[in-house]
Amino acid sequence: MAIEIPAWTKPGIWGGVIGAVLITVVGFSTGSVVSGSTAQEMADASGKEAAISAMAPVCVAQFKMLSPNNQMAELTALKAESSYKRDDFVIAKGWATMPGSEEPNNDIAQRCASLLMDLTSS
């Protein structure tokens, strides 16, 4: 007794294989599908960004502990710095050293400097 295979089986299998390859190529090339390591990198970057976004306002709050006159003087000095040295200025003032930490964080200092520059324009 022989098993009869329908005539549409071979084209159906080829259609499935070609469709799977096409979906894979399109998915990876558009970024809709990523590998495990890429997903981990994306998660790490997202976590780092979230931490910076959460801690930069603490840096600004530490700046705001200054008296109003000192705030204006420090903002003027910050504005006078070149844009690529403003994070160093924030670090030197100690505002980028988070409570409970002994070392300043450069990424937080960069975001903090940006937030402080926004204060100078208001």
Side-chain angles (χ1 to χ4, degrees):
M1 178 171 195
I3 298 176
E4 287 187 35
I5 299 175
W8 59 264
T9 304
K10 187 174 180 181
I13 292 173
W14 276 110
V17 169
I18 292 170
V21 169
L22 185 63
I23 287 172
T24 302
V25 169
V26 170
F28 276 101
S29 65
T30 62
S32 300
V33 177
V34 295
S35 67
S37 63
T38 301
Q40 184 63 48
E41 290 171 12
M42 292 168 68
D44 290 346
S46 178
K48 181 178 178 181
E49 178 59 30
I52 292 168
S53 293
M55 298 309 290
V58 174
C59 176
V60 173
Q62 292 183 139
F63 160 79
K64 288 185 174 183
M65 291 172 57
L66 299 172
S67 69
N69 289 338
N70 285 344
Q71 286 181 20
M72 293 307 296
E74 294 293 358
L75 284 175
T76 301
L78 178 65
K79 194 172 186 177
E81 289 287 335
S82 61
S83 61
Y84 62 91
K85 289 189 175 185
R86 289 181 181 144
D87 58 336
D88 293 333
F89 181 89
V90 170
I91 288 172
K93 296 297 179 175
W95 304 325
T97 303
M98 296 295 101
S101 178
E102 295 181 14
E103 297 292 323
N105 181 291
N106 192 57
D107 294 323
I108 293 171
Q110 288 175 348
R111 181 70 54 86
C112 182
S114 176
L115 292 172
L116 291 173
M117 289 304 296
D118 290 344
L119 293 177
T120 65
S121 62
S122 52

